[in-house]
Amino acid sequence: MDLKLFINNEWRPASSGKTFDVDNPATGEIVGTASQGSREDAVAALEAASRAFPAWSRTTGDERSRLLKKAGQIVYDKYEDLGRILTLEQGKPLRDAQREVESAAETLIYYGEEARRIGGEIAPSKSKTSRSLVIRQPIGIVAAISPWNYPVSLMAWKVGPALAAGCTVVAKPPSETPLATGLFVAACAEAGLPPGVVNVVTGPSSVVGEELVANPLSHMIAFTGSTEVGRHLMQSASKGLKKLSLELGGHTAFVVFKDASFDRAVADGAKRSFRNMGQICNAVNRIYVEKSIAERYIERFVQETKKLRIGDGLANPDIDLGPMVNAEGIERTERQIQDALAKGATLLCGGRRPDRPELAKGFFYEPTAVTNVRDDMLVMRQETFGPLVAIATFEGVDEALRLANSTDYGLVTYAYTNDISTMLRFAEGMESGTVAFNSISPDSLYAPYPAWKQSGLGVELGHFGIDEYLRVKHVLIEFKV
Ligand code: NAD
């Protein structure tokens, strides 16, 4: 598979003619190439998006709705192929990859529906002879940048609402996993989008990404990725005072109160700590268990973790865990494990690469849990983005809140309890955009997914997601009486 740039509804090679290889993290084999876009290619895509914007921004909500719903159906029809490509380049089990593509299709369809609901309001009149209309208009040209862990669905969270709002888009897929994301965005155009409404430029982030963010032709940067890069983009975008939507890193707490449904809290804790090899912004990093049930919880958690099956996600579509995306992730995880053990933590399970010969060439790592942890350990502060979780104890809601709130991040918190008072006190005291009780599926198409603290600025999903791509205008009309 050889992914080219998609500009003005045409596939074209990079202006330099160069490409880069895309590897399968489960086997180390090259699965395809993508075009190595240059600054000129990024500018060409921004120009195409700028030319398309005036007409696209004036389409009716109904027109955009029809096209987005059709695009969703087209993507849905491709879920098997796109899912297979995603597994090949990212490593996640085939079933998870196909589900990701399906959810991207659902996102397009949902925002197709939201496109018809963009209204305004009539503000109170400041005089007898004036009226104040408040209208909402699309921001303009959006540079959409997604990370490699859920590259297709996170790109859909941007492309869907941006197009629904009447914006045009230049998408930059991650270089680790560019293929399925590039094909996904281009598939949207098959619904009949006019040339330039969606464009895809792959290539080095230091070249293509920087140009898309800094070039005056882009009006908004919709970014999901690390906090470090998010901060940098904020600086680059500040020259143009551009609108930013930033969904960044996390350090997620999972809190188990003593009244929780025990088996569920064990099974969900293990699943959410290690799904996608812990490479999820809302993967569990810290588990806090109420003291009276902690010993039993830890024992059962280790048993549950040991049941997780690791393997090649293409050969075994229903496997629990595929590989990590690259060696860097394994090194980061090992660094945190060594730091914790050196500072006195106890290793409960994992802490090594699996020794099965068939996994030798891939970036596999055993799900790892540590306990007897202290706040000065890296695992308690820094995002791991790998299969490592730390387990500690607490007593009472106040201490649970203090510990769960003790990092700079504020994306998602999970808590297990059946007590409504505990739920309300905990939900209101938690400094994170989402608090999920008795569930490890924290996001919903229909509700906001906001980022707090160093986890970002802005909101994706729900009708809040489309608001990000609109700006308000006050139209004041003086009339004769
Ligand atoms: P990253 O920040 O390295 O890269 C993210 C994207 O930004 C990639 O497409 C990359 O090519 C691009 N990029 C990097 N430098 C750039 C620059 N200077 N200019 C423009 N673009 C640039 O992150 P990653 O390693 O791909 O993903 C992991 C991170 O993403 C983790 O921190 C994780 O928590 C975060 N994440 C957050 C969410 C969320 O919803 N908050 C979801 C998924 C992942």
Side-chain angles (χ1 to χ4, degrees), residues 434-469:
T434 299
V435 183
F437 290 103
N438 309 319
S439 168
I440 45 169
S441 173
D443 52 270
S444 158
L445 251 186
Y446 314 112
Y449 188 62
W452 284 31
K453 294 163 79 177
Q454 305 272 317
S455 291
L457 293 174
V459 188
E460 293 195 294
L461 300 181
H463 68 80
F464 298 88
I466 201 167
D467 291 345
E468 294 283 284
Y469 297 87

PDB file of all heavy atoms in Angstrom, residues 434-469:
ATOM      1  N   THR A 434     -13.961  14.425  32.723  1.00  0.00           N
ATOM      2  CA  THR A 434     -14.939  13.333  32.796  1.00  0.00           C
ATOM      3  C   THR A 434     -14.733  12.558  34.091  1.00  0.00           C
ATOM      4  O   THR A 434     -13.593  12.284  34.478  1.00  0.00           O
ATOM      5  CB  THR A 434     -14.762  12.354  31.602  1.00  0.00           C
ATOM      6  OG1 THR A 434     -14.976  13.051  30.379  1.00  0.00           O
ATOM      7  CG2 THR A 434     -15.731  11.181  31.677  1.00  0.00           C
ATOM      8  N   VAL A 435     -15.829  12.223  34.758  1.00  0.00           N
ATOM      9  CA  VAL A 435     -15.776  11.290  35.889  1.00  0.00           C
ATOM     10  C   VAL A 435     -16.750  10.165  35.545  1.00  0.00           C
ATOM     11  O   VAL A 435     -17.941  10.412  35.348  1.00  0.00           O
ATOM     12  CB  VAL A 435     -16.191  11.970  37.211  1.00  0.00           C
ATOM     13  CG1 VAL A 435     -16.059  10.980  38.371  1.00  0.00           C
ATOM     14  CG2 VAL A 435     -15.351  13.209  37.478  1.00  0.00           C
ATOM     15  N   ALA A 436     -16.240   8.941  35.428  1.00  0.00           N
ATOM     16  CA  ALA A 436     -17.078   7.804  35.045  1.00  0.00           C
ATOM     17  C   ALA A 436     -17.225   6.861  36.228  1.00  0.00           C
ATOM     18  O   ALA A 436     -16.219   6.409  36.785  1.00  0.00           O
ATOM     19  CB  ALA A 436     -16.447   7.070  33.876  1.00  0.00           C
ATOM     20  N   PHE A 437     -18.468   6.601  36.636  1.00  0.00           N
ATOM     21  CA  PHE A 437     -18.709   5.667  37.741  1.00  0.00           C
ATOM     22  C   PHE A 437     -19.094   4.302  37.201  1.00  0.00           C
ATOM     23  O   PHE A 437     -19.967   4.185  36.332  1.00  0.00           O
ATOM     24  CB  PHE A 437     -19.839   6.183  38.644  1.00  0.00           C
ATOM     25  CG  PHE A 437     -19.429   7.399  39.442  1.00  0.00           C
ATOM     26  CD1 PHE A 437     -19.852   8.662  39.062  1.00  0.00           C
ATOM     27  CD2 PHE A 437     -18.588   7.270  40.539  1.00  0.00           C
ATOM     28  CE1 PHE A 437     -19.457   9.775  39.779  1.00  0.00           C
ATOM     29  CE2 PHE A 437     -18.190   8.373  41.259  1.00  0.00           C
ATOM     30  CZ  PHE A 437     -18.619   9.635  40.883  1.00  0.00           C
ATOM     31  N   ASN A 438     -18.438   3.279  37.711  1.00  0.00           N
ATOM     32  CA  ASN A 438     -18.771   1.887  37.398  1.00  0.00           C
ATOM     33  C   ASN A 438     -18.726   1.606  35.908  1.00  0.00           C
ATOM     34  O   ASN A 438     -19.492   0.794  35.396  1.00  0.00           O
ATOM     35  CB  ASN A 438     -20.157   1.524  37.970  1.00  0.00           C
ATOM     36  CG  ASN A 438     -20.266   1.884  39.441  1.00  0.00           C
ATOM     37  OD1 ASN A 438     -19.313   1.671  40.191  1.00  0.00           O
ATOM     38  ND2 ASN A 438     -21.377   2.475  39.842  1.00  0.00           N
ATOM     39  N   SER A 439     -17.852   2.303  35.199  1.00  0.00           N
ATOM     40  CA  SER A 439     -17.736   2.119  33.750  1.00  0.00           C
ATOM     41  C   SER A 439     -16.332   2.487  33.309  1.00  0.00           C
ATOM     42  O   SER A 439     -15.739   3.438  33.817  1.00  0.00           O
ATOM     43  CB  SER A 439     -18.733   3.031  33.030  1.00  0.00           C
ATOM     44  OG  SER A 439     -18.425   3.063  31.641  1.00  0.00           O
ATOM     45  N   ILE A 440     -15.820   1.719  32.328  1.00  0.00           N
ATOM     46  CA  ILE A 440     -14.514   2.086  31.760  1.00  0.00           C
ATOM     47  C   ILE A 440     -14.679   2.530  30.317  1.00  0.00           C
ATOM     48  O   ILE A 440     -13.765   2.478  29.517  1.00  0.00           O
ATOM     49  CB  ILE A 440     -13.505   0.920  31.838  1.00  0.00           C
ATOM     50  CG1 ILE A 440     -14.158  -0.389  31.402  1.00  0.00           C
ATOM     51  CG2 ILE A 440     -12.915   0.841  33.234  1.00  0.00           C
ATOM     52  CD1 ILE A 440     -13.182  -1.509  31.203  1.00  0.00           C
ATOM     53  N   SER A 441     -15.890   2.931  29.981  1.00  0.00           N
ATOM     54  CA  SER A 441     -16.138   3.433  28.636  1.00  0.00           C
ATOM     55  C   SER A 441     -16.576   4.897  28.801  1.00  0.00           C
ATOM     56  O   SER A 441     -17.764   5.208  28.756  1.00  0.00           O
ATOM     57  CB  SER A 441     -17.222   2.564  28.005  1.00  0.00           C
ATOM     58  OG  SER A 441     -17.607   3.094  26.791  1.00  0.00           O
ATOM     59  N   PRO A 442     -15.627   5.802  29.015  1.00  0.00           N
ATOM     60  CA  PRO A 442     -15.989   7.132  29.513  1.00  0.00           C
ATOM     61  C   PRO A 442     -16.520   8.093  28.459  1.00  0.00           C
ATOM     62  O   PRO A 442     -17.170   9.074  28.800  1.00  0.00           O
ATOM     63  CB  PRO A 442     -14.672   7.666  30.075  1.00  0.00           C
ATOM     64  CG  PRO A 442     -13.618   6.992  29.267  1.00  0.00           C
ATOM     65  CD  PRO A 442     -14.159   5.645  28.909  1.00  0.00           C
ATOM     66  N   ASP A 443     -16.231   7.842  27.166  1.00  0.00           N
ATOM     67  CA  ASP A 443     -16.686   8.831  26.188  1.00  0.00           C
ATOM     68  C   ASP A 443     -17.975   8.387  25.519  1.00  0.00           C
ATOM     69  O   ASP A 443     -18.260   7.198  25.385  1.00  0.00           O
ATOM     70  CB  ASP A 443     -15.593   9.127  25.143  1.00  0.00           C
ATOM     71  CG  ASP A 443     -15.046   7.877  24.518  1.00  0.00           C
ATOM     72  OD1 ASP A 443     -14.071   7.336  25.065  1.00  0.00           O
ATOM     73  OD2 ASP A 443     -15.606   7.422  23.513  1.00  0.00           O
ATOM     74  N   SER A 444     -18.767   9.373  25.128  1.00  0.00           N
ATOM     75  CA  SER A 444     -20.023   9.117  24.431  1.00  0.00           C
ATOM     76  C   SER A 444     -20.134  10.147  23.322  1.00  0.00           C
ATOM     77  O   SER A 444     -19.819  11.324  23.535  1.00  0.00           O
ATOM     78  CB  SER A 444     -21.194   9.284  25.407  1.00  0.00           C
ATOM     79  OG  SER A 444     -22.382   9.550  24.685  1.00  0.00           O
ATOM     80  N   LEU A 445     -20.590   9.698  22.152  1.00  0.00           N
ATOM     81  CA  LEU A 445     -20.794  10.639  21.031  1.00  0.00           C
ATOM     82  C   LEU A 445     -21.680  11.805  21.432  1.00  0.00           C
ATOM     83  O   LEU A 445     -21.566  12.903  20.915  1.00  0.00           O
ATOM     84  CB  LEU A 445     -21.521   9.894  19.920  1.00  0.00           C
ATOM     85  CG  LEU A 445     -20.803   9.533  18.632  1.00  0.00           C
ATOM     86  CD1 LEU A 445     -21.780   8.936  17.648  1.00  0.00           C
ATOM     87  CD2 LEU A 445     -20.065  10.707  18.047  1.00  0.00           C
ATOM     88  N   TYR A 446     -22.583  11.541  22.396  1.00  0.00           N
ATOM     89  CA  TYR A 446     -23.648  12.509  22.683  1.00  0.00           C
ATOM     90  C   TYR A 446     -23.322  13.453  23.843  1.00  0.00           C
ATOM     91  O   TYR A 446     -24.122  14.313  24.181  1.00  0.00           O
ATOM     92  CB  TYR A 446     -24.954  11.760  22.994  1.00  0.00           C
ATOM     93  CG  TYR A 446     -25.220  10.658  22.015  1.00  0.00           C
ATOM     94  CD1 TYR A 446     -25.176   9.324  22.398  1.00  0.00           C
ATOM     95  CD2 TYR A 446     -25.453  10.959  20.675  1.00  0.00           C
ATOM     96  CE1 TYR A 446     -25.381   8.313  21.479  1.00  0.00           C
ATOM     97  CE2 TYR A 446     -25.653   9.949  19.753  1.00  0.00           C
ATOM     98  CZ  TYR A 446     -25.611   8.629  20.155  1.00  0.00           C
ATOM     99  OH  TYR A 446     -25.794   7.644  19.247  1.00  0.00           O
ATOM    100  N   ALA A 447     -22.177  13.238  24.470  1.00  0.00           N
ATOM    101  CA  ALA A 447     -21.832  14.050  25.656  1.00  0.00           C
ATOM    102  C   ALA A 447     -20.443  14.646  25.444  1.00  0.00           C
ATOM    103  O   ALA A 447     -19.643  14.107  24.687  1.00  0.00           O
ATOM    104  CB  ALA A 447     -21.856  13.166  26.900  1.00  0.00           C
ATOM    105  N   PRO A 448     -20.133  15.745  26.128  1.00  0.00           N
ATOM    106  CA  PRO A 448     -18.826  16.371  25.902  1.00  0.00           C
ATOM    107  C   PRO A 448     -17.684  15.522  26.460  1.00  0.00           C
ATOM    108  O   PRO A 448     -17.861  14.804  27.440  1.00  0.00           O
ATOM    109  CB  PRO A 448     -18.933  17.685  26.674  1.00  0.00           C
ATOM    110  CG  PRO A 448     -19.980  17.450  27.710  1.00  0.00           C
ATOM    111  CD  PRO A 448     -20.954  16.492  27.105  1.00  0.00           C
ATOM    112  N   TYR A 449     -16.532  15.654  25.815  1.00  0.00           N
ATOM    113  CA  TYR A 449     -15.295  15.013  26.301  1.00  0.00           C
ATOM    114  C   TYR A 449     -14.293  16.148  26.523  1.00  0.00           C
ATOM    115  O   TYR A 449     -13.475  16.452  25.674  1.00  0.00           O
ATOM    116  CB  TYR A 449     -14.800  14.016  25.253  1.00  0.00           C
ATOM    117  CG  TYR A 449     -13.646  13.144  25.703  1.00  0.00           C
ATOM    118  CD1 TYR A 449     -13.790  12.274  26.775  1.00  0.00           C
ATOM    119  CD2 TYR A 449     -12.430  13.176  25.046  1.00  0.00           C
ATOM    120  CE1 TYR A 449     -12.749  11.470  27.188  1.00  0.00           C
ATOM    121  CE2 TYR A 449     -11.372  12.376  25.446  1.00  0.00           C
ATOM    122  CZ  TYR A 449     -11.546  11.522  26.521  1.00  0.00           C
ATOM    123  OH  TYR A 449     -10.505  10.721  26.923  1.00  0.00           O
ATOM    124  N   PRO A 450     -14.401  16.809  27.679  1.00  0.00           N
ATOM    125  CA  PRO A 450     -13.588  18.003  27.903  1.00  0.00           C
ATOM    126  C   PRO A 450     -12.249  17.651  28.539  1.00  0.00           C
ATOM    127  O   PRO A 450     -12.137  16.648  29.234  1.00  0.00           O
ATOM    128  CB  PRO A 450     -14.424  18.820  28.904  1.00  0.00           C
ATOM    129  CG  PRO A 450     -15.600  17.960  29.278  1.00  0.00           C
ATOM    130  CD  PRO A 450     -15.364  16.594  28.768  1.00  0.00           C
ATOM    131  N   ALA A 451     -11.251  18.485  28.294  1.00  0.00           N
ATOM    132  CA  ALA A 451      -9.946  18.279  28.906  1.00  0.00           C
ATOM    133  C   ALA A 451      -9.702  19.395  29.909  1.00  0.00           C
ATOM    134  O   ALA A 451      -9.849  20.565  29.572  1.00  0.00           O
ATOM    135  CB  ALA A 451      -8.875  18.282  27.822  1.00  0.00           C
ATOM    136  N   TRP A 452      -9.321  19.036  31.136  1.00  0.00           N
ATOM    137  CA  TRP A 452      -9.021  20.002  32.189  1.00  0.00           C
ATOM    138  C   TRP A 452      -7.519  20.002  32.473  1.00  0.00           C
ATOM    139  O   TRP A 452      -6.807  19.082  32.110  1.00  0.00           O
ATOM    140  CB  TRP A 452      -9.756  19.640  33.480  1.00  0.00           C
ATOM    141  CG  TRP A 452     -11.228  19.966  33.502  1.00  0.00           C
ATOM    142  CD1 TRP A 452     -12.096  19.983  32.447  1.00  0.00           C
ATOM    143  CD2 TRP A 452     -12.001  20.273  34.668  1.00  0.00           C
ATOM    144  NE1 TRP A 452     -13.361  20.289  32.881  1.00  0.00           N
ATOM    145  CE2 TRP A 452     -13.333  20.474  34.254  1.00  0.00           C
ATOM    146  CE3 TRP A 452     -11.714  20.391  36.015  1.00  0.00           C
ATOM    147  CZ2 TRP A 452     -14.368  20.795  35.130  1.00  0.00           C
ATOM    148  CZ3 TRP A 452     -12.730  20.707  36.898  1.00  0.00           C
ATOM    149  CH2 TRP A 452     -14.047  20.910  36.465  1.00  0.00           C
ATOM    150  N   LYS A 453      -7.090  21.017  33.194  1.00  0.00           N
ATOM    151  CA  LYS A 453      -5.700  21.150  33.654  1.00  0.00           C
ATOM    152  C   LYS A 453      -4.732  20.939  32.471  1.00  0.00           C
ATOM    153  O   LYS A 453      -4.996  21.424  31.371  1.00  0.00           O
ATOM    154  CB  LYS A 453      -5.459  20.184  34.828  1.00  0.00           C
ATOM    155  CG  LYS A 453      -6.273  20.563  36.083  1.00  0.00           C
ATOM    156  CD  LYS A 453      -6.386  19.443  37.094  1.00  0.00           C
ATOM    157  CE  LYS A 453      -5.169  19.245  37.955  1.00  0.00           C
ATOM    158  NZ  LYS A 453      -5.387  18.184  38.972  1.00  0.00           N
ATOM    159  N   GLN A 454      -3.646  20.196  32.689  1.00  0.00           N
ATOM    160  CA  GLN A 454      -2.656  20.054  31.612  1.00  0.00           C
ATOM    161  C   GLN A 454      -3.096  19.018  30.564  1.00  0.00           C
ATOM    162  O   GLN A 454      -2.310  18.653  29.697  1.00  0.00           O
ATOM    163  CB  GLN A 454      -1.320  19.629  32.196  1.00  0.00           C
ATOM    164  CG  GLN A 454      -0.791  20.532  33.274  1.00  0.00           C
ATOM    165  CD  GLN A 454       0.045  21.663  32.729  1.00  0.00           C
ATOM    166  OE1 GLN A 454       0.862  21.470  31.854  1.00  0.00           O
ATOM    167  NE2 GLN A 454      -0.158  22.849  33.245  1.00  0.00           N
ATOM    168  N   SER A 455      -4.323  18.534  30.664  1.00  0.00           N
ATOM    169  CA  SER A 455      -4.822  17.609  29.634  1.00  0.00           C
ATOM    170  C   SER A 455      -5.425  18.358  28.456  1.00  0.00           C
ATOM    171  O   SER A 455      -5.867  17.724  27.491  1.00  0.00           O
ATOM    172  CB  SER A 455      -5.857  16.650  30.237  1.00  0.00           C
ATOM    173  OG  SER A 455      -5.229  15.768  31.119  1.00  0.00           O
ATOM    174  N   GLY A 456      -5.472  19.676  28.516  1.00  0.00           N
ATOM    175  CA  GLY A 456      -5.870  20.384  27.305  1.00  0.00           C
ATOM    176  C   GLY A 456      -6.833  21.524  27.495  1.00  0.00           C
ATOM    177  O   GLY A 456      -7.166  21.928  28.609  1.00  0.00           O
ATOM    178  N   LEU A 457      -7.269  22.010  26.343  1.00  0.00           N
ATOM    179  CA  LEU A 457      -8.207  23.133  26.253  1.00  0.00           C
ATOM    180  C   LEU A 457      -9.234  22.719  25.227  1.00  0.00           C
ATOM    181  O   LEU A 457      -8.862  22.270  24.158  1.00  0.00           O
ATOM    182  CB  LEU A 457      -7.527  24.359  25.648  1.00  0.00           C
ATOM    183  CG  LEU A 457      -6.436  25.085  26.388  1.00  0.00           C
ATOM    184  CD1 LEU A 457      -5.864  26.146  25.473  1.00  0.00           C
ATOM    185  CD2 LEU A 457      -7.034  25.748  27.627  1.00  0.00           C
ATOM    186  N   GLY A 458     -10.459  22.908  25.525  1.00  0.00           N
ATOM    187  CA  GLY A 458     -11.455  22.619  24.503  1.00  0.00           C
ATOM    188  C   GLY A 458     -12.249  21.370  24.821  1.00  0.00           C
ATOM    189  O   GLY A 458     -11.985  20.670  25.804  1.00  0.00           O
ATOM    190  N   VAL A 459     -13.228  21.129  23.964  1.00  0.00           N
ATOM    191  CA  VAL A 459     -14.166  20.034  24.178  1.00  0.00           C
ATOM    192  C   VAL A 459     -14.422  19.345  22.853  1.00  0.00           C
ATOM    193  O   VAL A 459     -14.687  20.008  21.857  1.00  0.00           O
ATOM    194  CB  VAL A 459     -15.528  20.578  24.680  1.00  0.00           C
ATOM    195  CG1 VAL A 459     -16.442  19.442  25.090  1.00  0.00           C
ATOM    196  CG2 VAL A 459     -15.363  21.567  25.811  1.00  0.00           C
ATOM    197  N   GLU A 460     -14.371  18.022  22.857  1.00  0.00           N
ATOM    198  CA  GLU A 460     -14.806  17.296  21.662  1.00  0.00           C
ATOM    199  C   GLU A 460     -16.074  16.521  22.018  1.00  0.00           C
ATOM    200  O   GLU A 460     -16.420  16.362  23.185  1.00  0.00           O
ATOM    201  CB  GLU A 460     -13.699  16.356  21.175  1.00  0.00           C
ATOM    202  CG  GLU A 460     -12.494  17.141  20.668  1.00  0.00           C
ATOM    203  CD  GLU A 460     -11.505  16.326  19.854  1.00  0.00           C
ATOM    204  OE1 GLU A 460     -10.882  15.428  20.434  1.00  0.00           O
ATOM    205  OE2 GLU A 460     -11.367  16.596  18.642  1.00  0.00           O
ATOM    206  N   LEU A 461     -16.769  16.070  21.004  1.00  0.00           N
ATOM    207  CA  LEU A 461     -17.988  15.243  21.095  1.00  0.00           C
ATOM    208  C   LEU A 461     -19.231  16.027  21.569  1.00  0.00           C
ATOM    209  O   LEU A 461     -19.121  17.121  22.125  1.00  0.00           O
ATOM    210  CB  LEU A 461     -17.762  14.010  21.977  1.00  0.00           C
ATOM    211  CG  LEU A 461     -16.655  13.057  21.488  1.00  0.00           C
ATOM    212  CD1 LEU A 461     -16.533  11.857  22.417  1.00  0.00           C
ATOM    213  CD2 LEU A 461     -16.891  12.589  20.066  1.00  0.00           C
ATOM    214  N   GLY A 462     -20.368  15.409  21.316  1.00  0.00           N
ATOM    215  CA  GLY A 462     -21.645  16.037  21.658  1.00  0.00           C
ATOM    216  C   GLY A 462     -21.836  17.324  20.848  1.00  0.00           C
ATOM    217  O   GLY A 462     -21.025  17.648  19.976  1.00  0.00           O
ATOM    218  N   HIS A 463     -22.879  18.069  21.172  1.00  0.00           N
ATOM    219  CA  HIS A 463     -23.079  19.331  20.439  1.00  0.00           C
ATOM    220  C   HIS A 463     -22.004  20.342  20.826  1.00  0.00           C
ATOM    221  O   HIS A 463     -21.726  21.285  20.095  1.00  0.00           O
ATOM    222  CB  HIS A 463     -24.493  19.876  20.649  1.00  0.00           C
ATOM    223  CG  HIS A 463     -24.755  20.346  22.033  1.00  0.00           C
ATOM    224  ND1 HIS A 463     -24.335  21.576  22.479  1.00  0.00           N
ATOM    225  CD2 HIS A 463     -25.371  19.752  23.075  1.00  0.00           C
ATOM    226  CE1 HIS A 463     -24.686  21.719  23.736  1.00  0.00           C
ATOM    227  NE2 HIS A 463     -25.314  20.625  24.118  1.00  0.00           N
ATOM    228  N   PHE A 464     -21.339  20.107  21.980  1.00  0.00           N
ATOM    229  CA  PHE A 464     -20.230  20.983  22.376  1.00  0.00           C
ATOM    230  C   PHE A 464     -19.103  20.895  21.344  1.00  0.00           C
ATOM    231  O   PHE A 464     -18.397  21.857  21.106  1.00  0.00           O
ATOM    232  CB  PHE A 464     -19.671  20.550  23.737  1.00  0.00           C
ATOM    233  CG  PHE A 464     -20.672  20.643  24.845  1.00  0.00           C
ATOM    234  CD1 PHE A 464     -21.509  19.575  25.130  1.00  0.00           C
ATOM    235  CD2 PHE A 464     -20.786  21.796  25.603  1.00  0.00           C
ATOM    236  CE1 PHE A 464     -22.437  19.654  26.153  1.00  0.00           C
ATOM    237  CE2 PHE A 464     -21.706  21.879  26.638  1.00  0.00           C
ATOM    238  CZ  PHE A 464     -22.542  20.810  26.908  1.00  0.00           C
ATOM    239  N   GLY A 465     -18.944  19.705  20.756  1.00  0.00           N
ATOM    240  CA  GLY A 465     -17.860  19.478  19.800  1.00  0.00           C
ATOM    241  C   GLY A 465     -17.992  20.363  18.577  1.00  0.00           C
ATOM    242  O   GLY A 465     -16.999  20.861  18.046  1.00  0.00           O
ATOM    243  N   ILE A 466     -19.201  20.594  18.123  1.00  0.00           N
ATOM    244  CA  ILE A 466     -19.407  21.419  16.918  1.00  0.00           C
ATOM    245  C   ILE A 466     -19.227  22.912  17.256  1.00  0.00           C
ATOM    246  O   ILE A 466     -18.756  23.694  16.425  1.00  0.00           O
ATOM    247  CB  ILE A 466     -20.768  21.116  16.266  1.00  0.00           C
ATOM    248  CG1 ILE A 466     -20.771  21.541  14.808  1.00  0.00           C
ATOM    249  CG2 ILE A 466     -21.912  21.748  16.979  1.00  0.00           C
ATOM    250  CD1 ILE A 466     -21.947  21.001  14.032  1.00  0.00           C
ATOM    251  N   ASP A 467     -19.540  23.287  18.483  1.00  0.00           N
ATOM    252  CA  ASP A 467     -19.382  24.698  18.884  1.00  0.00           C
ATOM    253  C   ASP A 467     -17.942  25.164  18.715  1.00  0.00           C
ATOM    254  O   ASP A 467     -17.690  26.346  18.468  1.00  0.00           O
ATOM    255  CB  ASP A 467     -19.788  24.899  20.354  1.00  0.00           C
ATOM    256  CG  ASP A 467     -21.278  24.733  20.558  1.00  0.00           C
ATOM    257  OD1 ASP A 467     -22.021  24.757  19.558  1.00  0.00           O
ATOM    258  OD2 ASP A 467     -21.702  24.557  21.715  1.00  0.00           O
ATOM    259  N   GLU A 468     -16.997  24.239  18.896  1.00  0.00           N
ATOM    260  CA  GLU A 468     -15.580  24.602  18.779  1.00  0.00           C
ATOM    261  C   GLU A 468     -15.247  25.175  17.406  1.00  0.00           C
ATOM    262  O   GLU A 468     -14.282  25.900  17.244  1.00  0.00           O
ATOM    263  CB  GLU A 468     -14.699  23.369  19.003  1.00  0.00           C
ATOM    264  CG  GLU A 468     -14.747  22.799  20.405  1.00  0.00           C
ATOM    265  CD  GLU A 468     -13.921  23.616  21.382  1.00  0.00           C
ATOM    266  OE1 GLU A 468     -12.693  23.520  21.362  1.00  0.00           O
ATOM    267  OE2 GLU A 468     -14.546  24.360  22.152  1.00  0.00           O
ATOM    268  N   TYR A 469     -15.999  24.746  16.386  1.00  0.00           N
ATOM    269  CA  TYR A 469     -15.678  25.127  15.007  1.00  0.00           C
ATOM    270  C   TYR A 469     -16.517  26.296  14.507  1.00  0.00           C
ATOM    271  O   TYR A 469     -16.515  26.615  13.327  1.00  0.00           O
ATOM    272  CB  TYR A 469     -15.847  23.900  14.082  1.00  0.00           C
ATOM    273  CG  TYR A 469     -14.881  22.806  14.461  1.00  0.00           C
ATOM    274  CD1 TYR A 469     -15.203  21.863  15.433  1.00  0.00           C
ATOM    275  CD2 TYR A 469     -13.618  22.749  13.887  1.00  0.00           C
ATOM    276  CE1 TYR A 469     -14.298  20.888  15.826  1.00  0.00           C
ATOM    277  CE2 TYR A 469     -12.707  21.773  14.269  1.00  0.00           C
ATOM    278  CZ  TYR A 469     -13.055  20.859  15.236  1.00  0.00           C
ATOM    279  OH  TYR A 469     -12.137  19.903  15.614  1.00  0.00           O
TER     280      TYR A 469
END
